[in-house]
Amino acid sequence: MALSSRRTARRLAADAGLLAVAAAFVLPLAWVVLSALDPRAGLRVKAPDGLTLDHFDAILTDEITFTPLLNSLVLCGGATALTVVSAALAAYPLSRFRSRLNRPFLLTILFATSLPITAIMVPVYALFVRVDLIDTMQGTVFFFAASQLPFAIWLMKNFMDGVPKELEEAAWTDGASSLQSLARIVLPLMGPGVAVVTVFSFVMMWGNFFVPFMLLLTPDQMPASVSINDFFGNRGMVAYGQLAAFSIVYSTPVILLYVLIARRLGGGFALGGAVKG
């Protein structure tokens, strides 16, 4: 009886902890949704004083929303594609070939993932000025990709290790090159892994404020992660309703990306029966 009571108490404590964590995530989301529809939005989470779409009407303009969102898609989409391709090419020899340099290289890039962006932005800024990449979209894309590449290589290698090498050996016997076997066998079979790397890289770049704020100077090139700062006025004045509406629109591309590849994320490696017989 006492053991059952202790188990019940532990279960209730675990449930209470999970509810507290869930509330910590739900309350900010509830504020965003409610404030976007509240004509007198403030910092409090409360039921709207009526419903209005005026906040959305105020932000849905080229200058406030559409141009920054397009800039974000160009920056993050281009950098994500570059990151995924580079990570696959870098992870392939680390996964398939044994060398005494593999472990030191992996430890080096693991160390690179721990470096804070703020610690390297000053030399990066000086370098970009010297090579004439400051205030350019391509320069920001390159730095975005470089900053995400170390962790992307780690993820890609771990997923690539799960694809049996025997499948590639059969392709090599038929005359395929290593690059062909990577593109036609390994990457299709590790589709969920590629999807994870894609989503992780895109999300990390999408919410990055500091990098484009430092490397881009022209207002017309600023992404949405920087332009959202315009809703914070002087002397603590904040347009809470418009900020909430912009936050919903700003989150839409990430949600759509996840929905589009959710089936790939939920699937396993398509290896059933591939190495039998």
Side-chain angles (χ1 to χ4, degrees), residues 66-221:
F66 297 127
T67 298
L69 278 180
L70 179 60
N71 293 336
S72 293
L73 289 173
V74 172
L75 288 173
C76 300
T80 298
L82 183 59
T83 299
V84 172
V85 172
S86 300
L89 294 175
Y92 183 74
L94 293 172
S95 175
R96 289 302 187 254
F97 304 108
R98 296 293 176 260
S99 171
R100 289 181 297 178
L101 298 178
N102 281 11
R103 181 175 176 80
F105 179 80
L106 288 172
L107 292 177
T108 300
I109 64 174
L110 180 61
F111 171 75
T113 63
S114 64
L115 290 175
I117 292 293
T118 52
I120 61 176
M121 279 309 299
V122 172
V124 166
Y125 185 89
L127 174 64
F128 272 43
V129 170
R130 184 174 294 272
V131 298
D132 201 25
L133 283 177
I134 199 70
D135 197 27
T136 62
M137 299 289 280
Q138 61 269 27
T140 308
V141 166
F142 291 149
F143 184 76
F144 262 147
S147 63
Q148 294 299 322
L149 193 56
F151 195 70
I153 293 175
W154 266 92
L155 286 177
M156 195 73 76
K157 179 189 177 298
N158 290 332
F159 285 113
M160 201 170 288
D161 288 342
V163 179
K165 191 176 180 179
E166 291 80 1
L167 299 176
E168 290 184 85
E169 292 174 348
W172 295 338
T173 302
D174 292 335
S177 64
S178 297
L179 188 59
Q180 288 174 327
S181 65
L182 171 64
R184 299 181 181 181
I185 296 177
V186 178
L187 291 180
L189 290 176
M190 54 176 287
V194 176
V196 168
V197 175
T198 300
V199 171
F200 177 83
S201 300
F202 187 86
V203 170
M204 294 300 292
M205 298 172 192
W206 188 259
N208 193 305
F209 168 85
F210 190 63
V211 170
F213 179 75
M214 290 293 295
L215 299 182
L216 296 174
L217 307 177
T218 305
D220 292 340
Q221 291 184 330

Side-chain angles (χ1 to χ4, degrees), residues 2 6 9 16 25 30 53 81-82 87-88 103 180 185 188 194 249 267 269 271:
R6 285 198 297 269
F25 283 93
L53 296 177
L82 183 59
R103 181 175 176 80
Q180 288 174 327
I185 296 177
V194 176
V249 177
F269 291 103
L271 301 177

